[in-house]
Amino acid sequence: MKRRAFLKNSTVFTLPAFLGGFDMSAMPSSLMTTLINGDSDKVLVLIDLNGGNDGLNTFIPIDVYGNLANARPNVILPENSILEMTDTIGLHPEMIGVKNMFDNSNLTLIQGVGYPDQNRSHFRSADIWNTGSKADEYKPTGWMGRYLDDTFPGYPSDYPTTDCPDPFAVTMGKSISGTCQGTDSNFSLAIINTNDIGGLDTGVEVPQPNDCYGAEIDFLVETFKKSNAYADRVVAAADAGGSNPNLYPDTTLANQLKTVAQLISGGLQTKIYVLKLGGFDTHSDQVVDGDTIQGNHASLLKNLSDAIYAFQEDLKLQGLEDRVIGSTFSEFGRKAKENGSLGTDHGEIAPMFVFGNPVNGGVSGTNVDLSEATDDNNFQLETVQFDYRQTLGTLLQNFLGADDTVIDSAFFNFSTDQSFANLKINDTIIFIHKKLKTKMIINLRKLAKRILKVYLNLFLKDQSKNRTKPLFALYFY
């Protein structure tokens, strides 16, 4: 059996190995289940709102509130409870933290995100988002995995190295992310609890048979060693990192983001973190009967908002806020019309939002056109304003610095001969923020002054010894 096939198909590797609460999923896994180390210190945090978030109950089109109320008489929020973002867009009242971030220009709302011929199956649509494919296309690798494959050939056999000692990506939770699936292996390491990380015992190493079986056993042992090396790096970063635990509510998502902040603070060079908040498949009990401000969806939105607001404040207090952005995504949205169970059913397009200090806050796109949701199309909102590959490609290009070739490798649409490299969302997602530009200029000036000081000292020293002035010193003098 070829090693690549062994990695993808072996039960040992498709099932995570848990030791001391640590999921050793740095080892290869199938799809069923830095950017990176290097010079860049930027970090991208992806939060999957799993189940299909109801965008119309998250970012409310208040300019057509009456039409929305007609479609959703039993689940719509009271108009006077909605938090106003702009004169046309409101926010769920439980999302006070998100509102503060928007007001501080630390959050960009992207309207109407999806893809043509939207699939409304949870599993298939999530697979499309993870693999960066179109609706009728099946890919064995994730969009992030293809980026990493191009940038770091030879993974996993040639890593970790001195230049790239840390995991390329981390998934917070029990399973690795299909987004990070590469050709030979998944690039992400799944972590449950950094306070109790064990290792994989390789046992007493003895010579293996000189056959295919022995070769694969040797490879397993080497993979265990690599996973343990990554685990050691995570533990060291967790021990060295700081955080402000009192900022965070006691929820799973908040605790995971607290860990992410701690690892960044501790010097872990990982540049991709993937998190998941489940429960958004709100077919029933989305709201409480008679009190639509409360309900399952409200609890989820409060959980999300409070967690990311605490994360952002923690980064600011540690001076890390200029290095990190986060983005939410969901496999699809919900119908414009409510169902008969105080809930909403599977839809198509949905909003995303990107947050962080480097984000040039605002709104991309316009409110949905509720008039297109009719009985003829099962009350679906179908007009895609931004292809999801545009949004992800913009994150890679404008924040992480990927070039056009990498974007084409990750997202190129061969059926239409279309490149997403030239479809960046530049009106509001411009990550070279003015504040960052100012800081960069100040740092460059400081560096120039230091260089000038060194050269002047050399010049004066040479002059005092009656030596010939170096040519470069004349210019700085």
Side-chain angles (χ1 to χ4, degrees):
M1 180 183 292
K2 291 184 178 180
R3 181 162 295 175
R4 180 179 299 179
F6 178 81
L7 285 172
K8 286 189 172 182
N9 299 324
S10 174
T11 303
V12 174
F13 290 99
T14 56
L15 296 177
F18 297 97
L19 291 175
F22 182 75
D23 183 352
M24 299 306 297
S25 297
M27 295 179 292
S29 170
S30 71
L31 275 174
M32 292 181 65
T33 52
T34 154
L35 249 154
I36 330 280
N37 295 203
D39 296 333
S40 172
D41 67 350
K42 295 176 182 176
V43 178
L44 174 61
V45 179
L46 300 172
I47 304 177
D48 177 7
L49 308 183
N50 189 255
N53 180 42
D54 184 5
L56 291 174
N57 197 51
T58 307
F59 299 97
I60 301 92
I62 55 178
D63 57 335
V64 290
Y65 180 86
N67 294 339
L68 187 61
N70 290 335
R72 299 179 161 207
N74 298 303
V75 301
I76 194 168
L77 292 163
E79 190 170 13
N80 61 3
S81 72
I82 299 171
L83 304 176
E84 185 175 311
M85 296 175 65
T86 71
D87 57 354
T88 61
I89 305 170
L91 191 63
H92 193 285
E94 292 287 9
M95 302 187 77
I96 297 173
V98 166
K99 174 65 162 56
N100 290 336
M101 294 171 71
F102 182 81
D103 290 344
N104 292 328
S105 297
N106 290 152
L107 186 141
T108 293
L109 167 64
I110 311 172
Q111 298 269 46
V113 181
Y115 53 88
D117 302 317
Q118 174 83 42
N119 190 297
R120 294 193 289 274
S121 160
H122 289 292
F123 301 106
R124 176 59 189 142
S125 193
D127 184 59
I128 290 168
W129 273 81
N130 284 333
T131 59
S133 60
K134 54 193 183 72
D136 60 352
E137 183 180 26
Y138 293 82
K139 292 185 177 182
T141 55
W143 60 269
M144 185 65 74
R146 290 192 294 278
Y147 172 88
L148 293 169
D149 270 334
D150 286 347
T151 311
F152 300 97
Y155 182 86
S157 59
D158 295 343
Y159 296 90
T161 66
T162 302
D163 292 334
C164 300
D166 297 332
F168 292 97
V170 164
T171 302
M172 300 302 302
K174 295 181 179 180
S175 60
I176 52 179
S177 170
T179 300
C180 301
Q181 181 66 40
T183 301
D184 287 339
S185 176
N186 195 295
F187 281 88
S188 66
L189 178 76
I191 297 176
I192 301 173
N193 181 7
T194 59
N195 294 322
D196 186 19
I197 295 180
L200 287 169
D201 189 359
T202 59
V204 178
E205 295 186 42
V206 296
Q208 299 298 333
N210 187 24
D211 55 20
C212 293
Y213 174 81
E216 298 305 345
I217 292 298
D218 282 339
F219 185 68
L220 288 178
V221 172
E222 288 304 310
T223 302
F224 280 24
K225 290 179 179 179
K226 293 174 186 294
S227 296
N228 289 341
Y230 284 138
D232 290 342
R233 295 285 297 184
V234 171
V235 171
D239 289 342
S243 68
N244 295 280
N246 294 334
L247 293 173
Y248 294 88
D250 187 17
T251 64
T252 299
L253 180 64
N255 286 325
Q256 289 177 343
L257 285 171
K258 178 171 61 178
T259 297
V260 172
Q262 183 179 2
L263 293 176
I264 296 171
S265 173
L268 196 70
Q269 296 178 37
T270 297
K271 296 299 183 291
I272 305 298
Y273 291 88
V274 185
L275 298 83
K276 179 184 291 186
L277 178 61
F280 285 90
D281 194 19
T282 51
H283 290 285
S284 61
D285 300 322
Q286 176 170 316
V287 300
V288 172
D289 190 11
D291 184 4
T292 57
I293 297 177
Q294 305 301 318
N296 292 335
H297 196 235
S299 297
L300 289 167
L301 295 180
K302 178 176 174 55
N303 185 344
L304 174 66
S305 178
D306 290 353
I308 64 173
Y309 182 72
F311 178 63
Q312 185 66 23
E313 291 302 298
D314 190 2
L315 294 176
K316 288 180 180 179
L317 289 174
Q318 298 194 68
L320 302 170
E321 72 274 19
D322 289 339
R323 292 179 49 197
V324 184
I325 64 167
S327 177
T328 64
F329 67 96
S330 195
E331 67 263 38
F332 47 64
R334 316 298 290 187
K335 286 184 183 180
K337 187 178 178 63
E338 67 180 37
N339 59 28
S341 303
L342 296 176
T344 53
D345 295 329
H346 296 185
E348 299 199 3
I349 59 173
M352 293 174 61
F353 64 86
V354 183
F355 62 91
N357 203 54
V359 173
N360 192 19
V363 178
S364 290
T366 60
N367 282 340
V368 297
D369 181 5
L370 290 175
S371 67
E372 75 174 17
T374 66
D375 187 56
D376 292 336
N377 73 348
N378 199 21
F379 300 100
Q380 295 291 348
L381 297 169
E382 299 173 322
T383 300
V384 176
Q385 297 184 52
F386 298 103
D387 191 293
Y388 80 103
R389 289 162 290 189
Q390 283 181 267
T391 64
L392 300 177
T394 302
L395 294 174
L396 286 179
Q397 285 181 292
N398 281 19
F399 184 61
L400 295 173
D403 61 28
D404 290 357
T405 303
V406 171
I407 298 301
D408 285 343
S409 175
F411 299 115
F412 194 83
N413 189 340
F414 290 97
S415 63
T416 60
D417 197 33
Q418 180 185 35
S419 170
F420 288 93
N422 298 319
L423 295 176
K424 293 184 291 185
I425 309 173
N426 283 329
D427 53 347
T428 54
I429 307 182
I430 303 175
F431 297 111
I432 304 300
H433 197 284
K434 291 179 180 178
K435 289 179 285 186
L436 293 181
K437 285 184 177 179
T438 301
K439 185 172 291 187
M440 289 168 62
I441 292 171
I442 292 173
N443 289 337
L444 286 173
R445 287 175 177 170
K446 289 180 178 178
L447 179 61
K449 287 180 179 179
R450 290 177 182 175
I451 294 173
L452 178 60
K453 184 177 180 180
V454 170
Y455 285 161
L456 284 175
N457 287 337
L458 288 172
F459 171 76
L460 294 174
K461 184 178 181 180
D462 286 345
Q463 188 181 50
S464 66
K465 294 181 179 180
N466 295 318
R467 293 180 179 175
T468 303
K469 303 181 184 69
L471 182 61
F472 63 80
L474 291 174
Y475 287 108
F476 279 91
Y477 186 74

